[in-house]
Amino acid sequence: MGEMEQLRKEAESLKDQISAARKAVHDVTLPEIVSGTAVVGRVQLKTRKTLRGHLAKIYAMHWGTDSKLCVSASQDGKLIVWDSYTTNKVHAIPLKSSWVMTCAYAPSGNMVACGGLDNMCSIYNLKGKDGNVKVMRELAAHTGYLSCCRFLNDSEIITSSGDCTCALWDIETGTQKTIFSGHMGDCMSLAVSHDFNMFISGACDYTAKLWDIREGACRQTFGGHESDINAIGFFPNGNAVLTGSDDGTCKMYDLRADQELITYQDPSIMCGVTSLAPSLSGRLILAGYDDFNCNIWDSLKAERVGVLAGHDNRVSCIGVTPDGMAACTGSWDSFLKIWN
Amino acid sequence: MLNCENAHGDCDSSALAALCALCLQMERVIVSMQDPDMGMKMRNQRLLITVIPHAMTGNDIMEWLVQKYSIAEEEALHLGNLIVRYGYIYPLKDTRTLVLKPDETPYRFQHLFTSLPSQLSYSNFSLLILCDKAIYLAKKNIQKQGELVDYEKQNYNQLHKRINHTWDFVLMQAREQLRAAKQRRRADRVVLECQEQAYWLVNRPPVSCPQRPCLVCTALKHRTKALGRTRVKSSVCLESFLKYCEQYLPHDPIMQGCRPSNPWITDNTMYWSMNSDTVVTPTRLRVERWSFTFMELLSDPLGKREFLQYLEKEFSAENLCFWEACKDIRHGESSKITEKVDEVYTQFLAPGASRWVNIDSKTMEKTLQGIKNPHRFVLDDAQMHIYFLMKKDSYPRYLKSDLYKNMLAKAMVPQETKKSVFPFMRRQPRSSPSPVLTSQLSEENGKPKATSAGTSQV
């Protein structure tokens, strides 16, 4: 058994060396750096609009790039495109499978996508010739549920699945172009970088991975969470990853330092994080929890500075508009609320 | 199936590469052996007085390998030995030596490592493995009344030290499992014992997590790469977050509000009309934002238009046009890629092209070679080269140019307006909206919008 033991020893030793290299660059603690920064003070956001129309739990929402239209998915089997400002429903799309877990709005505004326990990602064309919204493609190849999807453009979409892989699809041909495998647990969520060259995924193996879309390779892996990672997003400057986990904490991992820099936790929080979104400047992080609330964190001081209380059930999804004007929360109580 | 493919292709040391190739080969063999139609025929095998279900003999394995891969007996023996040594198959006789005997010795497929739980945290995971191993040795210890083999005794003591705090649990589990085993059929007992024995033999060191060889290879490859990465000091990273948050604070409406007012609060959509793509006079904040990063400038259609104007004056507008064309290919329809790449070649890359872009010779050569087989990413290198050219050269000069400075000076700062809650109360006299504001609005909407009057209370 000489070789295997040797190799295993080598793998362990490398792990220790990497740990040491990370420690070596960790030359300062957060409180030291931010001691001079002004405090944010209490942040009070109010509900400005309530979007009513779904008849069951809302599982996902996503803003369009115009910061007014958004799409939401509910287990009543509907995908609704809202003009959130007027609260009008622009489209109400009936789904073949009501077990939907995610939805996405294309940057162009021409399409929306959704998927869930049917293991498929269904793409809907919103700008069809006769005005009806129809299924354009059904992307089927995953062997597990679809947990998240995000468009790169009108021709490409990235999906994450309960089969532990993520995939890049060509929408026109309906085929998988690249499979990103490496996670050891269900992939729960993903986020695409602003330059569309990379994306990050969070999984039930408690790690987050940064992937190069073109190469199909995992560039970095971040561990430290003690339970499933449910939510993930990029910090607005693109250099850090924010994760939210069932262990009740959110973490910020820096891509350049290759390690966790900040943890957002409080001993009074005993339930998991379901969703998160940073404000435009990144100074605030809004995180939805299993206990029906949304906490607002000061991202630099790692302190809670506010709460969005208003839902009667778990906050399942949260999103901040691209122009930073408002935040939207979706809940199992079947309502979406717009806050600022 | 794991990505041993990648591990094989990209390994640094040749020994590692060889092992990865081996793992890949072995996994393929195992899969073939387990094929329901063409794989090994499993039967009851006799072991002294016990009948082992669903097993194969060493001879069976040899025969199958020889036939399937058309190899000599020697080679089959070598391959078979490897498969047993690496733990994919285990013997039910002479269980301490992991070799393939070309005789009636029964063997079975190892299933233990495919059932490792994935739902535990990694720290708990290794603890569980240690407990498992401790329980296994404790059982043996109880059965053999303290007569464990040397290395087993060593392991047992090591484990006792390491997980002392759960030792009561370990002993209890061991006793329970032994009691339950007595209830089982003899054949099952034998199988389980041999399976466990082989499993822990293959994964001998008590402190590491037993893994399939492929996983170790992949981990090694990833970690070697990861170690070579340059890491930036956390102080530098945190400082840059601080700077970013500070710089964007005035642009963050949730943090600092926005002028003239947040449409969600006041029901007044002026903010959106003032910041539309087609506005003539942008707001000051918007123009300032163009100076933050090159990407900010290019992301704003108005900013991009201004920049193009500037480049035209400098006779380098083709750079921006080329960059846009590349972007269109990268994010456009698959069916139009070939056609678009052709156009880009004709306009920007061909010798003597009307809008020839100045790319370094190495990149140009690579690109021209690549466009013979056009695909979505074929112009990535050239696009990046031009992007950095503009970013390092034209962009800083634009920010210092009169064109930009005038834009900044012209840019307006909207008056703040607040929602009226008590309409019957007169608010403090405020200066009326600037003429620029109203004329711009009438330009867009056809009629001026009144700003809300009233006291400030949101």
Side-chain angles (χ1 to χ4, degrees):
Chain A
M1 225 49 271
E3 298 108 348
M4 276 314 295
E5 250 179 75
Q6 224 176 350
L7 279 178
R8 230 198 305 275
K9 278 206 182 103
E10 208 179 312
E12 281 300 308
S13 136
L14 276 174
K15 197 162 126 193
D16 294 333
Q17 286 176 60
I18 292 171
S19 240
R22 283 176 172 165
K23 277 211 184 80
V25 298
H26 196 49
D27 58 340
V28 77
T29 63
L30 182 68
E32 287 167 30
I33 290 269
V34 301
S35 56
T37 313
V39 191
V40 163
R42 198 98 197 114
V43 173
Q44 279 172 319
L45 301 185
K46 296 203 174 104
T47 305
R48 304 296 173 185
K49 309 271 181 193
T50 302
L51 306 179
R52 294 164 218 272
H54 278 300
L55 303 171
K57 296 176 178 168
I58 292 174
Y59 269 79
M61 69 81 50
H62 191 216
W63 282 105
T65 44
D66 70 347
S67 297
K68 276 191 232 123
L69 296 176
C70 67
V71 63
S72 63
S74 160
Q75 292 208 336
D76 62 3
K78 286 252 164 41
L79 209 62
I80 299 183
V81 177
W82 309 83
D83 177 336
S84 55
Y85 190 64
T86 60
T87 72
N88 289 338
K89 299 180 193 48
V90 180
H91 299 286
I93 306 165
L95 304 173
K96 270 195 208 167
S97 159
S98 68
W99 302 107
V100 66
M101 295 171 70
T102 181
C103 62
Y105 215 128
S108 64
N110 294 334
M111 305 184 217
V112 289
C114 69
L117 293 182
D118 58 356
N119 298 1
M120 289 194 312
C121 182
S122 306
I123 315 277
Y124 294 84
N125 185 357
L126 297 177
K127 308 277 168 80
K129 288 192 192 111
D130 52 1
N132 287 338
V133 175
K134 285 197 285 257
V135 179
M136 208 179 101
R137 279 286 177 277
E138 281 172 346
L139 308 175
H142 277 302
T143 53
Y145 59 84
L146 204 83
S147 52
C148 192
C149 58
R150 286 292 178 258
F151 283 93
L152 293 183
N153 48 57
D154 282 2
S155 309
E156 297 174 302
I157 190 169
I158 298 196
T159 56
S160 65
S161 166
D163 66 8
C164 308
T165 67
C166 298
L168 169 70
W169 303 76
D170 179 327
I171 296 175
E172 284 165 64
T173 59
T175 54
Q176 274 180 333
K177 286 206 289 198
T178 316
I179 299 178
F180 304 90
S181 47
H183 274 300
M184 309 271 260
D186 303 7
C187 296
M188 294 306 292
S189 70
L190 70 95
V192 181
S193 68
H194 296 314
D195 62 6
F196 297 105
N197 289 333
M198 307 265 197
F199 77 94
I200 44 177
S201 60
C204 292
D205 61 2
Y206 315 167
T207 67
K209 285 183 185 281
L210 174 75
W211 305 89
D212 183 322
I213 294 177
R214 189 177 162 181
E215 305 288 316
C218 170
R219 290 257 167 267
Q220 282 171 272
T221 304
F222 302 100
H225 272 297
E226 290 171 3
S227 189
D228 303 354
I229 294 178
N230 296 320
I232 200 164
F234 274 99
F235 190 81
N237 71 355
N239 287 335
V241 173
L242 294 165
T243 55
S245 162
D246 268 347
D247 64 10
T249 71
C250 297
K251 288 182 191 280
M252 186 208 271
Y253 297 93
D254 188 286
L255 299 180
R256 297 172 301 172
D258 187 42
Q259 58 191 288
E260 173 193 328
L261 288 187
I262 311 176
T263 301
Y264 305 97
Q265 63 188 353
D266 191 296
S268 64
I269 298 174
M270 295 203 264
C271 59
V273 179
T274 60
S275 48
L276 60 76
S279 73
L280 188 136
S281 65
R283 187 64 196 267
L284 299 177
I285 300 174
L286 289 85
Y289 291 75
D290 276 341
D291 65 358
F292 310 174
N293 280 333
C294 219
N295 286 322
I296 307 174
W297 293 88
D298 176 338
S299 66
L300 293 178
K301 299 254 183 193
E303 289 166 354
R304 268 198 297 185
V305 291
V307 160
L308 297 179
H311 281 293
D312 293 327
N313 208 322
R314 178 195 279 198
V315 173
S316 56
C317 51
I318 200 169
V320 171
T321 56
D323 64 6
M325 290 293 243
C328 177
T329 52
S331 163
W332 280 12
D333 67 7
S334 83
F335 300 123
L336 292 146
K337 287 183 188 280
I338 315 284
W339 310 76
N340 61 24
Chain B
M1 196 61 104
L2 293 164
N3 277 339
C4 218
E5 239 102 18
N6 293 335
H8 173 101
D10 214 359
C11 290
D12 293 339
S13 78
S14 58
L16 184 57
L19 184 64
C20 287
L22 188 63
C23 288
L24 189 60
Q25 188 182 23
M26 284 194 287
E27 296 244 329
R28 283 205 189 113
V29 172
I30 293 296
V31 169
S32 296
M33 283 177 94
Q34 292 177 317
D35 183 86
D37 300 315
M38 303 299 287
M40 295 282 320
K41 298 285 175 277
M42 313 290 278
R43 291 189 301 275
N44 289 349
Q45 302 291 346
R46 232 168 222 300
L47 181 67
L48 299 179
I49 56 163
T50 320
V51 171
I52 310 292
H54 206 67
M56 49 202 169
T57 65
N59 261 338
D60 289 341
I61 295 173
M62 286 285 295
E63 254 177 56
W64 187 90
L65 286 172
V66 165
Q67 206 221 20
K68 169 90 183 176
Y69 295 108
S70 309
I71 51 178
E73 267 189 28
E74 237 176 46
E75 222 183 304
L77 189 61
H78 176 73
L79 182 57
N81 261 308
L82 278 175
I83 293 173
V84 175
R85 234 169 69 200
Y86 280 87
Y88 290 98
I89 290 178
Y90 63 93
L92 288 149
K93 196 172 129 192
D94 297 328
T95 53
R96 284 191 188 282
T97 29
L98 299 176
V99 292
L100 178 70
K101 294 216 188 97
D103 56 19
E104 293 304 298
T105 310
Y107 290 84
R108 279 175 63 122
F109 290 109
Q110 179 62 273
H111 292 297
L112 279 181
F113 46 37
T114 53
S115 64
L116 288 178
S118 63
Q119 286 300 332
L120 300 163
S121 80
Y122 281 143
S123 53
N124 292 343
F125 188 62
S126 8
L127 185 61
L128 192 80
I129 298 299
L130 294 180
C131 278
D132 256 3
K133 175 124 200 192
I135 292 167
Y136 163 69
L137 288 173
K139 281 196 295 189
K140 256 199 164 165
N141 202 22
I142 294 171
Q143 275 181 313
K144 300 209 166 158
Q145 286 148 347
E147 287 308 307
L148 288 176
V149 170
D150 265 344
Y151 73 87
E152 282 177 344
K153 218 178 232 164
Q154 217 181 24
N155 280 355
Y156 191 59
N157 294 334
Q158 271 176 335
L159 282 166
H160 190 135
K161 256 193 224 146
R162 185 155 166 168
I163 53 172
N164 201 345
H165 53 285
T166 64
W167 205 248
D168 288 335
F169 168 76
V170 167
L171 290 179
M172 181 198 77
Q173 275 291 304
R175 285 190 208 107
E176 263 306 305
Q177 285 187 18
L178 283 175
R179 205 152 46 82
K182 286 206 177 89
Q183 314 276 346
R184 285 205 191 93
R185 285 176 25 223
R186 185 181 168 75
D188 289 341
R189 265 211 320 273
V190 171
V191 164
L192 281 169
E193 271 171 30
C194 297
Q195 189 176 48
E196 260 194 324
Q197 167 101 329
Y199 181 65
W200 291 113
L201 261 179
V202 171
N203 298 286
R204 197 180 295 203
V207 293
S208 61
C209 292
Q211 285 171 330
R212 291 162 72 157
C214 261
L215 275 175
V216 180
C217 288
T218 323
L220 258 174
K221 179 214 136 204
H222 278 145
R223 286 175 192 171
T224 315
K225 231 186 202 164
L227 190 61
R229 170 193 310 284
T230 39
R231 291 178 178 84
V232 177
K233 288 199 200 147
S234 54
S235 54
V236 173
C237 299
L238 288 170
E239 285 286 355
S240 79
F241 291 146
L242 209 65
K243 272 213 191 82
Y244 187 91
C245 290
E246 277 169 12
Q247 190 180 43
Y248 279 83
L249 188 64
H251 300 261
D252 188 339
I254 293 181
M255 287 281 294
Q256 273 213 333
C258 63
R259 286 162 169 257
S261 65
N262 191 320
W264 297 96
I265 300 175
T266 60
D267 280 336
N268 182 326
T269 58
M270 264 216 293
Y271 175 84
W272 284 322
S273 31
M274 277 183 210
N275 285 290
S276 77
D277 290 349
T278 50
V279 92
V280 169
T281 313
T283 62
R284 195 182 174 87
L285 272 180
R286 183 176 179 177
V287 180
E288 273 172 8
R289 202 162 156 178
W290 299 347
S291 67
F292 290 178
T293 65
F294 188 36
M295 221 38 230
E296 284 283 2
L297 177 67
L298 292 182
S299 309
D300 186 344
L302 191 61
K304 202 164 54 170
R305 264 211 313 274
E306 287 293 306
F307 187 56
L308 185 65
Q309 250 189 343
Y310 174 74
L311 290 180
E312 270 159 7
K313 291 210 173 111
E314 300 241 310
F315 304 106
S316 55
E318 68 275 359
N319 286 341
L320 188 57
C321 298
F322 175 70
W323 181 82
E324 292 247 78
C326 291
K327 197 164 154 222
D328 188 40
I329 291 173
R330 171 69 185 82
H331 291 284
E333 285 177 51
S334 310
S335 49
K336 300 227 171 96
I337 288 178
T338 315
E339 166 191 332
K340 286 181 183 172
V341 170
D342 264 340
E343 254 181 65
V344 165
Y345 173 73
T346 320
Q347 265 196 41
F348 298 101
L349 299 173
S354 57
R355 313 177 83 184
W356 192 79
V357 284
N358 193 357
I359 305 176
D360 70 285
S361 52
K362 191 164 150 215
T363 313
M364 180 64 98
E365 208 180 297
K366 189 172 169 205
T367 308
L368 291 179
Q369 188 62 30
I371 61 180
K372 291 184 184 159
N373 297 309
H375 57 87
R376 196 174 283 275
F377 305 106
V378 76
L379 292 172
D380 269 11
D381 289 343
Q383 182 186 17
M384 193 147 22
H385 181 93
I386 293 295
Y387 176 82
F388 280 114
L389 194 67
M390 291 191 290
K391 180 175 169 181
K392 293 263 159 69
D393 183 39
S394 319
Y395 173 61
R397 282 189 291 112
Y398 167 68
L399 292 180
K400 296 198 190 102
S401 71
D402 287 336
L403 199 63
Y404 178 71
K405 289 196 179 137
N406 288 341
M407 200 58 164
L408 201 56
K410 256 194 334 172
M412 55 113 143
V413 182
Q415 291 285 359
E416 209 179 342
T417 62
K418 294 192 174 175
K419 187 178 189 172
S420 65
V421 173
F422 305 108
F424 53 84
M425 273 172 71
R426 218 159 257 298
R427 70 180 167 113
Q428 298 295 337
R430 269 178 181 262
S431 49
S432 52
S434 73
V436 176
L437 208 68
T438 27
S439 61
Q440 175 196 304
L441 285 173
S442 48
E443 214 166 50
E444 290 197 274
N445 302 336
K447 54 183 169 163
K449 261 201 188 143
T451 56
S452 30
T455 37
S456 55
Q457 266 311 318
V458 175

